[in-house]
Amino acid sequence: MSDTGRTTDGQHRETDERQHTTGAPARRSQAWFGASGRGGMVYRSWMRNQGFGPGVFDGRPVIGIATSASELAPCNAHLTRVAEAVKRGVWQAGGFPLEFPTMATGETLMRPTAMLFRNLMAMEVEELIRANPLDGVVLLSGCDKTTPAMLMGAASVDLPALMVTGGPMLNGKYEGRDVGSGTAVWQFEEDLKTGRMTQEECFFAEGCMARSNGHCMTMGTASTMACVAEALGMQLPGSATWPAVDARRFETAQNAGNRIVEMVHEELRPSRILTRAAFENAIRVNAAIGGSTNAIIHLTALAGRTGVELAPEDFDALARDVPTLVNLMPSGSFLMEDFCYAGGLPAVLDELERGGLLHGGQLTVTGASIAENVAGATRTGTEVITGLDAPFQPAGSGTAVLRGNLCPDGAVIKQSAASPHLLTHRGPARVFDSPEAYHAVCDDPELDVDENTVLVIRNAGPKGYPGMPEVSNVPLPTKLLKAGVTDMVRVCDGRMSGTGYGTVVLHVSPEAATGGPLALVRDGDTVVLDVPRRMLRLEVTDEELERRRAAWRAPEPRHTSGYAWLYTQHVEGADRGADFGFLRGCRGHEVPRDSH
């Protein structure tokens, strides 16, 4: 540095040469900030208009902080403050933090569904990381699609990456009891339909469910994916469950800023962490926490970015011997704040590892194994987090994968959220060609259904809707609710919110819009569900199905241009994670051409 504080191109070349002669690696970011001539001047001078001094261009790790903060995604709205904590940690560790925005895919507001935009967000994250002078990245997510989208994008670039999820809301409180976001919505809707709750009471109750920053505090998809990210080894131990407004959420974020700088020095990349063993750990953890069925879609898509092959049966086979250990809504009684204070995910991981149900040697972002991370984890009581010796629900009660002539490529059902008496069921189909078609008549007192009817909702898959919305757990017909019916079998090619519950068969593949068997079901056909035998079938002869298939015509495309058209052209089936085929695999982090 000269006496005037200026850094010359020659001195940048000397810095670069010193890195090579001393054996220290030249940072990827030095292709920008260490460049000679006009190019380097452009990169450095425009960064300096933000007040950064010349010392930040000395070859230290440049850390991107990818934040999905947005007031249009309430679960992520507080991430700007989380980013400030990450920055403190990066500076403290000798790095240079640079925050940048990504889109936010919040299920709470986006139409037709946030899932339509998960792949777009993943593509944006990937390209932003690759296109910019970054040596590592911290991923700040909140709502359920932002977490897998960021992991997918980062995996396809394969620069050192660490995730910090935004944390759950505080427990909801209504009339002296805990209420869970999402889960209580379905309950309040039923109460409203049956007259047990007035509209005014419902309006008041909705403010009691969401009383702080953060994502759903039930074991919905957001909480599930936060835990899954930790189980994969991509998030610091214990960080999945701290409430969004707890000071320790920001302490965790600062620690993440520290750690990502070290990861750059160690060249610890996602490809070393996201192995087959890591995915098997995540699948077993999802079973142990009573996690969302949506984890199957997201893990399958993420695996596709890493070259790990996951089949639908993997989720069933790996979860069969794992009991549900966590007593959280919608399958249980408690909420994420309780889970956190009872020991959080480390207590679950430790229990699974000691029971031989975890690949304990799997590497994580800490640089240590997952077993080393959770050794000595404490569990407070046994109400919220149970032990393997007396689990909340027995082994085999997690998500089941079904096969049969109605779902040749598979379907799933969350057993822990279903009614036991309906897990084996035979009944007549009542078919609706869209969720909207059902909602238009579900309040009709003359609707031709009873408690044995199987509600079939189709054209809600990745291509059909498009985007595979969380609509499969349609409310029961009002006339049956008033008669005291609490559950029915529902079959759909769409998804269900992780906060939802009921005997709902999801992700039926191939979907109806592509001519899957679900498109061929007619009113009155007998549908047989046999979860113990992992079977879903239609009691219609193969010959009759072939006749119907010959007469079937694909629906007219809803979109002929724009992103929705691109999506429907390239999205793969639910059994493949509903990713774009052209995004599968890792494209690396090679520095793009310099245009200067």
Side-chain angles (χ1 to χ4, degrees), residues 240-540:
T241 57
W242 287 119
V245 294
D246 194 302
R248 286 161 291 190
R249 168 63 51 195
F250 304 99
E251 181 182 334
T252 294
Q254 182 170 328
N255 291 339
N258 265 265
R259 179 58 195 152
I260 189 62
V261 175
E262 296 170 352
M263 288 173 65
V264 171
H265 290 304
E266 297 164 8
E267 297 190 15
L268 180 51
R269 305 180 188 279
S271 56
R272 294 177 57 195
I273 297 170
L274 295 175
T275 65
R276 171 78 188 194
F279 284 98
E280 291 188 359
N281 282 346
I283 291 169
R284 287 195 168 112
V285 166
N286 188 54
I289 62 176
S292 169
T293 52
N294 290 311
I296 297 176
I297 294 278
H298 299 317
L299 281 171
T300 302
L302 178 60
R305 302 299 186 97
T306 67
V308 173
E309 288 295 328
L310 288 181
E313 277 71 21
D314 289 329
F315 291 87
D316 198 317
L318 289 164
R320 274 184 185 251
D321 56 352
V322 181
T324 304
L325 301 180
V326 180
N327 179 8
L328 256 64
M329 299 179 194
S331 301
S333 306
F334 294 95
L335 295 166
M336 287 293 288
E337 192 178 352
D338 309 306
F339 181 32
C340 178
Y341 305 147
L345 195 68
V348 175
L349 292 170
D350 183 53
E351 186 73 7
L352 293 177
E353 203 279 327
R354 288 188 292 107
L357 293 171
L358 209 63
H359 297 291
Q362 179 59 32
L363 181 66
T364 72
V365 289
T366 67
S369 71
I370 197 164
E372 291 171 322
N373 287 345
V374 302
T378 57
R379 175 162 50 105
T380 304
T382 58
E383 267 195 307
V384 181
I385 306 174
T386 62
L388 289 170
D389 55 341
F392 172 58
Q393 292 184 349
S397 58
T399 298
V401 176
L402 311 175
R403 294 281 185 173
N405 69 347
L406 199 47
C407 54
D409 292 339
V412 303
I413 184 169
K414 186 175 180 179
Q415 296 180 86
S416 61
S419 299
H421 73 280
L422 290 175
L423 293 177
T424 302
H425 182 79
R426 184 176 180 273
R430 182 71 166 84
V431 183
F432 299 90
D433 284 330
S434 69
E436 292 79 8
Y438 172 75
H439 286 290
V441 300
C442 69
D443 293 329
D444 184 351
E446 302 301 319
L447 185 63
D448 184 20
V449 294
D450 62 28
E451 66 270 22
N452 294 312
T453 301
V454 175
L455 298 175
V456 174
I457 314 294
R458 61 192 178 198
N459 297 310
K463 289 182 183 290
Y465 203 72
M468 203 179 180
E470 295 178 340
V471 296
S472 299
N473 59 323
V474 293
L476 303 193
T478 300
K479 78 171 192 178
L480 297 183
L481 284 172
K482 290 181 176 179
V485 177
T486 58
D487 198 5
M488 295 172 68
V489 174
R490 286 151 280 179
V491 177
C492 185
D493 48 8
R495 297 179 302 116
M496 177 174 81
S497 169
T499 65
Y501 54 87
T503 309
V504 189
V505 178
L506 312 156
H507 312 179
V508 173
S509 302
E511 63 174 294
T514 63
L518 201 65
L520 311 179
V521 183
R522 295 179 180 174
D523 284 342
D525 287 347
T526 299
V527 176
V528 179
L529 172 65
D530 191 336
V531 176
R533 295 175 58 197
R534 301 300 194 258
M535 186 262 289
L536 176 69
R537 64 175 289 103
L538 195 64
E539 286 192 344
V540 173

Side-chain angles (χ1 to χ4, degrees), residues 187-242:
Q187 296 166 350
F188 292 159
E189 180 184 42
E190 291 177 0
D191 289 346
L192 195 60
K193 282 176 171 284
T194 55
R196 295 190 295 265
M197 177 180 269
T198 67
Q199 185 60 63
E200 291 73 20
E201 289 170 331
C202 192
F203 185 76
F204 178 78
E206 70 187 37
C208 301
M209 281 189 296
R211 62 189 190 94
S212 78
N213 287 139
H215 58 67
C216 287
M217 82 298 277
T218 53
M219 189 51 78
T221 310
S223 295
T224 295
M225 293 310 298
C227 292
V228 162
E230 187 174 328
L232 284 167
M234 291 297 294
Q235 184 159 219
L236 293 179
S239 61
T241 57
W242 287 119

